[in-house]
Amino acid sequence: MRTHRRTRRATARTGVALLAAVLLAGCGLSSSEPQPSATADGRPADASATPTPSA
């Protein structure tokens, strides 16, 4: 019975460690490039000034 408890604890610790590693790795994936700024009307700065006609 004790062996089963130890195995369960070890599995839980491994799961927590794996989850922490995945979360930390995800934090490192964020882009270091600056985000494009938006104009006063909310459009991205690199969007064309003329609206495109809709079909």
Side-chain angles (χ1 to χ4, degrees):
M1 194 63 118
R2 288 183 179 175
T3 306
H4 182 65
R5 285 185 189 171
R6 289 180 187 167
T7 304
R8 209 170 199 182
R9 285 183 192 168
T11 303
R13 287 180 184 158
T14 303
V16 169
L18 181 62
L19 179 62
V22 169
L23 289 174
L24 288 173
C27 291
L29 293 177
S30 64
S31 175
S32 61
E33 294 181 21
Q35 297 296 322
S37 61
T39 58
D41 60 357
R43 289 181 297 153
D46 60 350
S48 62
T50 57
T52 55
S54 59

